[in-house]
Amino acid sequence: MKWQVVEPTRGTFDWSGGDRLVQFAQAHGQLVRGHVLLWHNQLPTWLTDGVGERPIGNDQLRALLHQHITR
C-alpha cells in the first residue's frame, strides 16, 4: 500500500495489491493492520522528480498528500 505502488503515475491509482491482501486475510479469518502510510524512501518518482522538471512547492505537496491520504 505504499504510495509508489498505489499511485505509480500521478492520478492513476491501483488498489489491486491491497485488495488481494485483504481478500486473502478475510478468506482465512485474519486481521489486516495498516503501517506507515507515507514513507520517505518509497515515494513515486513523479513526486520526487518534481512536476515539469521543477520541484513541487509546499502548497502543492500538501494538496497531493491530502489527496493521497483521503483516497
Side-chain angles (χ1 to χ4, degrees):
M1 299 301 290
K2 301 292 190 238
W3 198 349
Q4 71 184 18
V5 175
V6 172
E7 190 180 4
T9 304
R10 187 174 178 186
T12 303
F13 294 86
D14 180 3
W15 304 103
S16 62
D19 289 343
R20 283 192 304 275
L21 182 82
V22 170
Q23 289 168 356
F24 178 87
Q26 289 175 334
H28 294 88
Q30 299 173 340
L31 297 175
V32 176
R33 297 178 193 259
H35 173 65
V36 189
L37 181 59
L38 301 168
W39 188 251
H40 67 90
N41 63 351
Q42 292 182 315
L43 298 172
T45 55
W46 63 263
L47 180 70
T48 56
D49 289 349
V51 177
E53 298 182 14
R54 294 188 332 216
I56 293 174
N58 288 339
D59 291 339
Q60 188 179 16
L61 179 58
R62 282 187 183 92
L64 290 167
L65 290 169
H66 183 265
Q67 178 184 350
H68 174 69
I69 292 166
T70 57
R71 289 210 175 170

